[in-house]
Amino acid sequence: MTDRNIDILVIGAGPAGLAAAIAAREAGITSLLVIDREKEPGGILRQCIHNGFGLHRFKEELTGPEYAQRDIDRAAELGIPIECSTMVLSVSRDHLVTCVSPVYGIQRIQAKAVILAMGCRERPRGALCTPGTRCAGIYSAGTAQRFVNLEGFMPGKRVVILGSGDIGLIMARRMTLQGAKVLACVEIMPYSSGLNRNIVQCLQDYNIPLLLSHTVTDIRGLHRLEGITVSEVDQNRKPVPGTEKHFACDTLLLSCGLIPENELSLGAGVSLSSATSGAIVDETFETNVPGIFACGNVLHVHDLVDHVSAESYKAGCSAASFVLNRHSEDSYFSVMDGDGVRGTVPQRIHRNVDSPVDLMFRPAGVYRNCAVVVECGNIEICRKKAQIFTPGEMALITLKPEHLRNLDENILTVRIERN
Amino acid sequence: MDQVITCINCPVGCRMTVSLSDTGEFLSVTGNTCPRGAVYARQECTLPKRIITAVIPVEGCRMPLSVKTSVPVPKQLIREVMHELGNTQIHAPVRAGQIIIHHVLNTEADIVATRTLP
Amino acid sequence: MKTMSDILIIGAGITGCCVARELAAYHASVLVLEKESDLAEGATKANSGIVHAGYDAVPGSLKAYYNVRGASMYSGLCASLGLPYKQCGALVIGMNDQDRETIEKLRLRGEKNGVSGLRILEHDELLSLESELNPAVICALYVPSSAIISPYETAFAIADHAALNGVSFRFNENVEAVHVQPDGLFRVLTSSDEYLCRVLVNCAGSYGAQIHNQLSDTKLEMIHRRGQYYLLDRMDHPPFTHTIFQCPSSMGKGVLVSPTVHGNTLLGPTAEDIVDPMDTATTSEGLSEVLRKAALTWPNISVRSNITNFSGVRAHLATDDFIVGPCDSCPGYYEAIGIESPGLSSAPAIAQDLAGIIADQLNLSAKSDMVPCSVLPVPFRDMNTEEREKAVAADPAWGNIICRCETVTEAEIRAAIRRPVGARTIDGVKRRTRAGMGRCQGGFCMPRVADIIAEETGVSLPDVKKGSGDSFILAGSVESFLKGDTAYDRSEY
């Protein structure tokens, strides 16, 4: 067995892991390793061949592989080692990481700090409890994306997409461009959870109908999918009898939500938030387990990779500080979700924080002309107005250190104030 | 002639109504809540353009090649660009950034590889 | 081309596989025909996976007889084949005085059937045993010998052992007609071929009556009774450690909540009589019925961790008992019909009897020794670190994790395809290795599994199927779509 001691181990070489590793190296950490289960670094960006990445970070529009390559190149420049085809089997509370690969076999790596950057997975059909047969032709949108963009095969010819998350919208366009017919995109909510630009450029450009407040209520086909039934839903998301529409299709793609992949985190004793399904972290992205940090989609599902990179860079800096022993004392504010707010990250903030803290969350619905308010007890400490909030885009409000001085209470509440 | 479009500049997604002359010239826009909307509406109604990305097969390589247009191309050419890509023969290796087709369909756009295939 | 064999078995479910393995002990040519693309594709893959103790069947019935005998064989059988078997015990819970009467009756019945260890437990003891149980429970029949197994994995291992000892399996062979020739041989016509045999064994599950009615003077009618299930994700602390039954009714044993051998939690089944035995769809009514009924056992029920829903179709006879043995009006024809619950529990005993009678009739001599079963490799997820290290050192494919959720390696997937009756489909690999059985339901691993199947079986990726029939996972290459080719055009619209 190979036993190694290193300063920082980053699990995952997607945009989060790469940004964290780059930050840690730039902060002076030399003993550093990134591991990834895929054959190449880049994470899910490898299969996201569409454009639209990097507008915030690079002020230009890149495709997924191009965005990933910038970080891969930077990591190479900095001499950051990346071991691919390596699967982490367990992470212990005291940072012992066990992993396996065909090349190196079982390795045990003792790290001073661990950065969790494993990303997320898609919600499968089972989680939706959609009735019908279990035929071939039903894939999560990401699986279909992998087949088309990385393997070079098309999953089907006549496609319905359930869920209007961004991957579903992107796949509607991809399948259409590559020669399939997309019949409809079906969304159970009265609004899409995808970005506006994707609704316009992926659906409207190709005359693909978006059926809001609809869901799939039956799946037919003995062996391969033959058709589905779509029904309108009421306000409680229950199908309304008599509203059934039938579609003859051979493919159903599911884009019904992403779930942070935290099985390893749980094994390490990391506490998870029920709102985000990711770790509970403080503003340095440290979890409840000292020296274990989390960032990217394993922490909370992001809307834009630019945000993932920015957040993970901070996490990498924090992990470096932890290793270099510049850890601050532990007295915290707890951050709670208030009205209209879901899954605020970070969930804890050091009372004596000395740099601005971005609070990120998902609006629980579509709200127009309102404001995000952060309160401590009865004291309003920060407010930000916005024309609109939608669940498809992360909302962000920045707390400055001076906002957090001279407060008696320990709880910060983030809420959306509606008029 | 009026045309209704959704603005994509921000999540508000303003529904804008654009008036066009009989010859398709831009006359006016209503429904936008910011100047960026007006700019988008004018572009979108006179000559909408898109960056196209796609995967295409490569001789001697199992993995397909992902490509993009170097600049946006007129929306009405999307189908033709895809047809052109279907008739393009490529051989590995390909470098990211390599031009696969110069000035596709005589537009200003090149078809550029977005990843390296060994 | 006519294929001749001494014995032809129709159906490769658990019963057919067990019969085949028993017959493999004799000098005779044995062929199994299966209409689906793999073993265990009917009721065997979609049932509760319980080895019932035998308290439920009417004393004196074949169900009672074979259940108790079969159940007693399973622990040895599973041990010899390296299969999971867990005697987790069962509780039949009662919520009122009428249930208490039923439970008392079941206890007496069980004792008559020869089930040992039955006891009636009261409220307090029950809740200390199973804290998630409905506190309104007043009593329960405690059945210590009730066990859980993996039904399809059991069929796979048994079929492998049969195949190692000379039994042939042919898949995608749907028997369309059977009749007796003047020379006394049976002629079996399938969709694509023709077979002759001296002895015909009907283990056709849902299609048992259909075969029977072509050969016997008596006519049977089969009732297809569908059962729908929820399968919940593995949890560190599953809600129940015992199989929890509610009081049985005329439609069956009711909705149970049970752990599985792999640590999942199973809820179901419903009991709905349907027309088409292939109709294994789930319905919103059926699924909500499961939830409603399971909530009586488990008030804190949560299906947030649901992995999948499925349904299976039981082969029910109006007589409510098995038919096992030779058919009086058709010499040389043997049958096991109506093998619904407790069919899984009974199958090994039924097979022993059937094979014994057949061997007698054909005057078969026993082989002096059988090829021992090939013990399956220990799954990577069950190995300790040292074993894992050794495995990867011997073959790097053990270090390549394909299924993340269930930690299944490339080596295991290749081995599943290379087994004597190996996997040929995504579902075949899934049931043999658990790749794709986990919480992401194959979202990550399915494309990689498909690759390995294509490579191992020498087909191209678009020819890989999920299961039977035209269940192709892909419609064609990006190239064929871009060119507008219909090279892989298999669908009609």
Side-chain angles (χ1 to χ4, degrees):
Chain A
M1 194 179 307
T2 325
D3 278 1
R4 279 197 267 180
N5 287 291
I6 63 170
D7 282 350
I8 295 181
L9 181 74
V10 183
I11 305 176
L18 290 173
I22 289 165
R25 168 59 53 97
E26 287 176 354
I29 301 291
T30 50
S31 166
L32 176 69
L33 175 65
V34 185
I35 49 186
D36 195 276
R37 54 197 164 195
E38 293 289 326
K39 286 198 180 87
E40 295 170 34
I44 207 68
L45 288 176
R46 292 175 61 236
Q47 67 183 54
C48 298
I49 63 147
H50 54 281
N51 56 302
F53 301 96
L55 281 167
H56 291 245
R57 184 174 167 205
F58 298 115
K59 311 295 173 216
E60 59 180 306
E61 201 165 337
L62 302 174
T63 65
E66 292 171 323
Y67 186 105
Q69 197 59 45
R70 297 214 173 172
D71 287 334
I72 295 167
D73 290 347
R74 176 69 182 147
E77 233 173 74
L78 292 169
I80 296 170
I82 304 175
E83 281 182 14
C84 287
S85 302
T86 302
M87 175 88 181
V88 173
L89 300 168
S90 68
V91 180
S92 77
R93 222 186 145 78
D94 48 8
H95 314 161
L96 179 65
V97 175
T98 309
C99 52
V100 63
S101 84
V103 181
Y104 302 105
I106 307 279
Q107 296 186 77
R108 289 201 310 178
I109 303 169
Q110 179 66 57
K112 287 182 186 156
V114 174
I115 300 175
L116 306 171
M118 295 88 77
C120 57
R121 64 166 174 269
E122 298 173 280
R123 198 180 291 278
R125 174 183 172 187
L128 312 172
C129 302
T130 308
T133 57
R134 295 204 295 159
C135 46
I138 304 169
Y139 304 110
S140 64
T143 306
Q145 191 178 45
R146 178 183 170 121
F147 267 132
V148 178
N149 294 348
L150 291 184
E151 313 268 344
F153 289 97
M154 295 286 283
K157 294 183 164 178
R158 284 172 69 87
V159 185
V160 172
I161 294 173
L162 174 58
S164 61
D166 287 311
I167 314 175
L169 300 175
I170 293 289
M171 280 312 289
R173 177 175 60 185
R174 175 62 43 228
M175 293 297 286
T176 305
L177 282 175
Q178 305 285 157
K181 171 80 184 161
V182 178
L183 303 171
C185 178
V186 179
E187 168 63 56
I188 194 165
M189 301 303 284
Y191 49 80
S192 163
S193 55
L195 301 174
N196 248 326
R197 56 180 282 144
N198 285 337
I199 293 169
V200 170
Q201 297 192 348
C202 299
L203 297 183
Q204 291 175 8
D205 274 4
Y206 302 94
N207 298 316
I208 299 167
L210 171 61
L211 303 176
L212 297 174
S213 297
H214 280 71
T215 193
V216 173
T217 47
D218 194 22
I219 292 172
R220 291 181 303 279
L222 181 58
H223 298 305
R224 174 80 196 198
L225 182 63
E226 289 163 13
I228 60 158
T229 303
V230 170
S231 304
E232 213 175 310
V233 297
D234 62 20
Q235 287 164 333
N236 302 316
R237 285 182 255 163
K238 296 283 173 233
V240 179
T243 61
E244 294 83 3
K245 295 181 194 62
H246 302 287
F247 289 92
C249 56
D250 63 5
T251 306
L252 175 65
L253 300 186
L254 307 177
S255 175
C256 302
L258 300 167
I259 309 165
E261 273 215 298
N262 273 298
E263 283 66 32
L264 288 173
S265 325
L266 285 170
V270 169
S271 301
L272 302 188
S273 147
S274 60
T276 59
S277 302
I280 293 172
V281 294
D282 63 20
E283 82 285 357
T284 71
F285 300 95
E286 188 174 6
T287 68
N288 62 305
V289 181
I292 298 188
F293 297 79
C295 55
N297 281 349
V298 79
L299 176 61
H300 56 147
V301 175
H302 290 65
D303 50 354
L304 300 178
V305 68
D306 305 68
H307 294 150
V308 167
S309 300
E311 166 183 298
S312 305
Y313 194 86
K314 290 183 201 164
C317 292
S318 309
S321 302
F322 177 90
V323 168
L324 300 171
N325 215 359
R326 289 200 295 263
H327 208 50
S328 53
E329 52 100 12
D330 292 328
S331 170
Y332 294 99
F333 291 107
S334 295
V335 184
M336 312 293 276
D337 294 344
D339 190 33
V341 168
R342 255 201 320 240
T344 308
V345 172
Q347 293 87 350
R348 302 189 303 165
I349 299 174
H350 281 95
R351 289 197 70 106
N352 61 348
V353 63
D354 54 9
S355 50
V357 178
D358 288 338
L359 292 177
M360 291 169 280
F361 64 90
R362 292 280 178 165
V366 177
Y367 310 119
R368 285 173 196 279
N369 298 318
C370 46
V372 192
V373 179
V374 183
E375 291 162 333
C376 184
N378 293 325
I379 306 165
E380 178 180 318
I381 56 173
C382 187
R383 166 182 290 265
K384 185 181 169 190
K385 283 189 190 160
Q387 216 175 351
I388 192 167
F389 288 106
T390 72
E393 294 205 31
M394 275 188 347
L396 186 148
I397 183 165
T398 305
L399 294 182
K400 295 184 183 135
E402 52 267 32
H403 286 137
L404 300 171
R405 299 288 178 254
N406 308 318
L407 295 170
D408 297 329
E409 308 265 340
N410 289 321
I411 293 175
L412 303 178
T413 306
V414 188
R415 65 181 179 89
I416 289 180
E417 188 177 273
R418 281 173 271 179
N419 298 323
Chain B
M1 189 173 68
D2 284 358
Q3 198 175 331
V4 178
I5 60 166
T6 309
C7 183
I8 63 164
N9 279 306
C10 81
V12 177
C14 291
R15 300 278 286 172
M16 303 182 289
T17 306
V18 183
S19 296
L20 299 174
S21 72
D22 293 344
T23 53
E25 276 167 58
F26 177 88
L27 298 176
S28 67
V29 58
T30 55
N32 57 308
T33 48
C34 76
R36 285 194 302 166
V39 173
Y40 172 75
R42 177 185 282 263
Q43 170 74 39
E44 202 47 21
C45 289
T46 46
L47 186 60
K49 286 184 173 184
R50 300 286 186 265
I51 285 182
I52 306 173
T53 65
V55 281
I56 52 177
V58 177
E59 292 275 323
C61 184
R62 154 92 196 260
M63 199 176 175
L65 179 69
S66 56
V67 296
K68 67 174 183 183
T69 56
S70 55
V71 293
V73 295
K75 203 172 120 182
Q76 79 262 19
L77 290 181
I78 292 177
R79 193 172 281 270
E80 280 176 74
V81 170
M82 287 308 296
H83 182 78
E84 199 70 12
L85 290 176
N87 292 324
T88 307
Q89 287 269 335
I90 311 163
H91 300 270
V94 184
R95 254 177 321 96
Q98 185 178 324
I99 294 175
I100 305 298
I101 305 176
H102 287 274
H103 299 297
V104 65
L105 301 174
N106 297 319
T107 63
E108 288 178 6
D110 298 327
I111 300 291
V112 180
T114 57
R115 75 170 150 240
T116 297
L117 287 183
Chain C
M1 193 197 81
K2 289 182 195 176
T3 309
M4 173 69 199
S5 46
D6 293 326
I7 303 161
L8 188 150
I9 301 168
I10 303 175
I14 186 74
T15 313
C17 290
C18 284
V19 172
R21 187 173 93 120
E22 292 291 340
L23 287 169
Y26 299 95
H27 290 287
S29 57
V30 182
L31 174 67
V32 184
L33 295 186
E34 167 57 48
K35 74 177 173 53
E36 300 297 328
S37 61
D38 201 351
L39 304 162
E41 282 282 317
T44 306
K45 76 163 185 227
N47 62 75
S48 306
I50 314 276
V51 178
H52 294 286
Y55 57 83
D56 190 39
V58 180
S61 65
L62 288 181
K63 280 189 177 176
Y65 173 69
Y66 282 117
N67 182 347
V68 175
R69 236 185 81 197
S72 71
M73 297 166 72
Y74 262 107
S75 88
L77 184 65
C78 289
S80 72
L81 295 168
L83 292 167
Y85 171 92
K86 198 172 166 210
Q87 194 177 320
C88 61
L91 296 169
V92 186
I93 58 169
M95 313 302 286
N96 53 44
D97 290 344
Q98 200 189 332
D99 285 353
R100 186 184 283 279
E101 268 176 47
T102 310
I103 283 166
E104 185 56 40
K105 263 187 220 152
L106 289 176
R107 185 176 70 88
L108 292 172
R109 208 185 251 190
E111 281 167 0
K112 242 181 222 164
N113 289 344
V115 183
S116 57
L118 298 176
R119 271 196 300 142
I120 291 178
L121 304 183
E122 299 298 326
H123 172 272
D124 289 1
E125 196 172 352
L126 287 169
L127 283 170
S128 66
L129 215 54
E130 291 287 8
S131 59
E132 285 287 321
L133 207 52
N134 188 344
V137 66
I138 60 165
C139 66
L141 179 66
Y142 174 54
V143 190
S145 57
S146 187
I148 48 179
I149 61 169
S150 169
Y152 43 86
E153 286 176 78
T154 305
F156 296 151
I158 287 171
D160 278 349
H161 194 202
L164 279 176
N165 285 281
V167 175
S168 310
F169 288 81
R170 293 222 182 149
F171 296 99
N172 306 308
E173 286 285 28
N174 185 25
V175 172
E176 293 182 338
V178 286
H179 57 262
V180 188
Q181 296 191 147
D183 59 4
L185 294 179
F186 292 91
R187 183 156 171 260
V188 178
L189 295 171
T190 68
S191 32
S192 58
D193 222 328
E194 188 177 335
Y195 299 87
L196 295 175
C197 62
R198 293 164 67 197
V199 160
L200 183 69
V201 190
N202 176 359
C203 299
S206 290
Y207 296 85
Q210 204 170 302
I211 306 286
H212 169 97
N213 293 346
Q214 296 177 56
L215 296 168
S216 170
D217 292 347
T218 63
K219 301 300 167 202
L220 291 174
E221 197 189 336
M222 190 147 275
I223 298 162
H224 307 297
R225 189 164 284 175
R226 181 167 68 188
Q228 305 187 26
Y229 290 89
Y230 278 87
L231 183 70
L232 309 187
D233 199 357
R234 282 185 281 118
M235 294 172 232
D236 286 340
H237 302 285
F240 296 97
T241 57
H242 298 78
T243 301
I244 316 290
F245 295 98
Q246 295 167 5
C247 275
S249 75
S250 61
M251 287 297 275
K253 295 184 179 69
V255 167
L256 60 78
V257 180
S258 180
T260 72
V261 285
H262 297 294
N264 301 85
T265 297
L266 191 66
L267 314 176
T270 53
E272 321 140 45
D273 293 346
I274 55 167
V275 178
D276 176 5
M278 292 298 280
D279 182 8
T280 53
T282 53
T283 63
S284 59
E285 299 79 26
L287 294 178
S288 42
E289 183 189 332
V290 171
L291 282 192
R292 204 173 59 243
K293 291 187 172 167
L296 294 176
T297 297
W298 182 20
N300 297 329
I301 189 165
S302 163
V303 289
R304 262 191 70 171
S305 60
N306 188 43
I307 283 189
T308 190
N309 297 106
F310 62 90
S311 81
V313 178
R314 319 170 180 79
H316 179 70
L317 293 171
T319 49
D320 202 23
D321 202 2
F322 299 154
I323 294 174
V324 176
C327 173
D328 292 340
S329 57
C330 184
Y333 166 61
Y334 296 80
E335 52 194 15
I337 307 180
I339 313 302
E340 60 174 333
S341 178
L344 175 66
S345 318
S346 306
I350 291 173
Q352 232 176 23
D353 281 10
L354 271 183
I357 309 168
I358 293 166
D360 271 358
Q361 191 220 330
L362 291 184
N363 214 359
L364 302 176
S365 57
K367 292 177 185 166
S368 53
D369 55 344
M370 270 179 86
V371 180
C373 58
S374 49
V375 177
L376 297 171
V378 176
F380 184 83
R381 67 179 163 275
D382 295 336
M383 290 180 179
N384 62 32
T385 305
E386 203 171 83
E387 291 167 329
R388 287 173 170 180
E389 221 181 2
K390 262 191 203 155
V392 185
D395 177 1
W398 279 100
N400 186 13
I401 308 282
I402 302 292
C403 169
R404 305 167 181 182
C405 303
E406 298 291 311
T407 325
V408 182
T409 65
E410 181 193 332
E412 289 161 89
I413 291 166
R414 292 194 187 277
I417 298 166
R418 295 173 190 170
R419 282 171 70 158
V421 187
R424 289 293 175 274
T425 61
I426 301 284
D427 283 349
V429 167
K430 170 169 123 176
R431 298 199 184 100
R432 282 171 182 82
T433 64
R434 295 190 61 72
M437 280 276 188
R439 51 186 71 92
C440 90
Q441 283 289 287
F444 283 117
C445 67
M446 193 270 274
R448 292 143 160 247
V449 170
D451 260 346
I452 299 173
I453 293 174
E455 193 192 310
E456 285 279 329
T457 62
V459 301
S460 75
L461 201 56
D463 290 322
V464 175
K465 296 184 197 178
K466 175 177 186 286
S468 295
D470 61 351
S471 61
F472 299 101
I473 56 168
L474 297 170
S477 67
V478 159
E479 183 170 17
S480 68
F481 270 69
L482 273 184
K483 293 208 158 89
D485 286 355
T486 47
Y488 282 104
D489 191 348
R490 295 193 184 90
S491 355
E492 287 171 24
Y493 300 107

